[in-house]
Amino acid sequence: MSILGNLKKMRVSLADPIQYELELGEARISMNELIGKQIHFHYTGLIHCKICGNKTKKAFGQGFCYNHFTNHPANSPCIIRPELCEGHLGVGRDVEWEEENHVQPHVVYLALTSAVKVGVTRSVQVPTRWIDQGAWQVIHLAETPYRQLAGEIEVALKEHVTDKTNWRKMLQDVRNEEVDLLDEKDRLAEELSPILQEYISDKEDILTLTYPMAHYPEKIKSIGFDKLPDIKGELQGIRGQYLFFEHGQVLNIRKHTGYQVELSFN
């Protein structure tokens, strides 16, 4: 079977293990069912902006043409630095977009891969955001009515924990199993000002995520369509938005949003 379409971030659903679907054109492919099978991606050389659909010689960000990379509200500075968000003040590149996306409940969370990470996401993106980052344990730290407040909490905690995921260690399943996220939540809450402590979540459940992986490679080699238009081999597992092939080769699907590919499998 061969299916042609533009790549999008894989859809995920919470299960044991996580379930993944790849959208290509009108088709939805269960990637879990392809694990252990030979698959072949062929990149046609075309890239289409995920916003306007126009052809672009290069994908900027994660699937944007240059115009939408520089002007679309999804690429505003507050996407990376939520503390800069002014949506709650009625300000932004697109006020209606800000209302729909940033003037909405947000969660500040602690995620555990190889180390504890603090992050921010919209409440409606729970647990998708955590799965996309490849976390294996997560806990709610705080809940805020809009993005900027969540960003303030994140900034206050950056001095104490990282806000980045070490993607190589995540893909090698390097874990610190001695960390208790509930203890970390209590410790970090004490580092916040009394005003920000008011937003601490009363949720204490630790979510443990499992991925469709039989084993993890000792070494990781990132591959992509710009240098390798044909990527094929046995699909050995999935974590985050990465597909694992033989010899530790990993393909970041989200990074190639907008790339037109033909996927073949039996």
Side-chain angles (χ1 to χ4, degrees), residues 1-19:
M1 178 181 293
S2 295
I3 302 170
L4 179 69
N6 291 89
L7 286 174
K8 299 178 183 178
K9 180 176 76 74
M10 288 184 287
R11 290 176 174 264
V12 300
S13 56
L14 186 61
D16 184 11
I18 304 300
Q19 297 295 302

Side-chain angles (χ1 to χ4, degrees), residues 162-218:
T162 184
D163 64 333
K164 301 288 190 298
T165 298
N166 186 318
W167 67 273
R168 286 189 176 274
K169 289 185 177 180
M170 180 270 287
L171 294 178
Q172 292 171 304
D173 199 35
V174 176
R175 301 187 179 194
N176 185 346
E177 296 187 342
E178 296 180 0
V179 173
D180 185 312
L181 282 183
L182 187 55
D183 289 344
E184 283 293 292
K185 175 179 177 176
D186 293 340
R187 178 181 73 84
L188 292 170
E190 293 298 317
E191 302 293 342
L192 297 175
S193 67
I195 293 176
L196 294 180
Q197 285 179 350
E198 294 180 7
Y199 298 99
I200 293 296
S201 173
D202 59 4
K203 296 177 181 176
E204 297 186 342
D205 294 338
I206 298 172
L207 177 63
T208 298
L209 301 167
T210 58
Y211 298 88
M213 293 290 303
H215 64 276
Y216 287 89
E218 293 183 4

Side-chain angles (χ1 to χ4, degrees), residues 40-45 224-231 261-262:
H40 178 190
F41 285 103
H42 171 68
Y43 169 44
T44 67
F225 293 117
D226 293 321
K227 294 183 178 180
L228 196 64
D230 285 281
I231 295 176
V261 300
E262 184 177 19

Side-chain angles (χ1 to χ4, degrees), residues 143-170:
E143 298 174 351
T144 65
Y146 51 84
R147 186 173 183 81
Q148 189 272 341
L149 266 177
E152 281 194 35
I153 295 173
E154 182 183 45
V155 167
L157 297 180
K158 283 182 183 181
E159 298 179 9
H160 308 282
V161 290
T162 184
D163 64 333
K164 301 288 190 298
T165 298
N166 186 318
W167 67 273
R168 286 189 176 274
K169 289 185 177 180
M170 180 270 287

Side-chain angles (χ1 to χ4, degrees), residues 47-56 65 68:
I47 305 173
H48 297 92
C49 174
K50 68 179 182 181
I51 299 298
C52 63
N54 291 337
K55 292 181 183 178
T56 176
C65 64
H68 281 108

Side-chain angles (χ1 to χ4, degrees), residues 12-53:
V12 300
S13 56
L14 186 61
D16 184 11
I18 304 300
Q19 297 295 302
Y20 286 88
E21 276 190 338
L22 182 66
E23 292 182 82
L24 280 180
E26 299 298 321
R28 287 191 181 182
I29 304 113
S30 170
M31 298 305 291
N32 293 62
E33 294 181 5
L34 297 182
I35 293 175
K37 298 181 179 180
Q38 295 288 321
I39 67 173
H40 178 190
F41 285 103
H42 171 68
Y43 169 44
T44 67
L46 297 178
I47 305 173
H48 297 92
C49 174
K50 68 179 182 181
I51 299 298
C52 63

Side-chain angles (χ1 to χ4, degrees), residues 76-94:
S76 299
C78 66
I79 298 298
I80 302 299
R81 298 182 60 191
E83 72 275 12
L84 300 179
C85 187
E86 296 182 315
H88 60 292
L89 302 175
V91 178
R93 291 183 178 180
D94 183 322

